[in-house]
Amino acid sequence: MTLPEIKNMLNILMEYEDCDITHTVPGILNLFYSKSSQTFEITIFSTGEVVDCCNRDEACEILHKIITLFQNKV
């Protein structure tokens, strides 16, 4: 998944902030946008770790790193 694809995914979550949408990257993570706090929440399946990101750019970088690491392991 490229950085532009990830940014687009995050923009969609922010655009539809009146809905609760969770994106799942199978086997890797869940991504949720909280409209009340305007933050992103990333749950990493392999560790159970939950990462809160305060803005889109931070979330994009973290997602890209996680996905790239997973793809390099496969």
Side-chain angles (χ1 to χ4, degrees):
M1 186 175 267
T2 66
L3 281 172
E5 290 171 329
I6 294 170
K7 282 185 181 180
N8 183 53
M9 179 174 61
L10 297 175
N11 285 335
I12 290 170
L13 284 177
M14 293 172 73
E15 198 172 308
Y16 293 97
E17 65 181 40
D18 292 337
C19 302
D20 288 334
I21 301 172
T22 301
H23 281 283
T24 300
V25 180
I28 303 175
L29 59 86
N30 272 341
L31 169 67
F32 176 74
Y33 179 70
S34 170
K35 62 184 173 185
S36 61
S37 64
Q38 296 183 338
T39 59
F40 294 94
E41 180 182 284
I42 302 166
T43 303
I44 305 167
F45 294 146
S46 63
T47 63
E49 181 181 2
V50 177
V51 180
D52 292 316
C53 304
C54 59
N55 63 57
R56 185 195 68 171
D57 292 335
E58 179 186 20
C60 185
E61 290 298 323
I62 291 171
L63 287 166
H64 188 257
K65 286 178 186 177
I66 293 168
I67 293 168
T68 300
L69 284 172
F70 183 81
Q71 289 173 337
N72 288 336
K73 287 183 179 180
V74 175

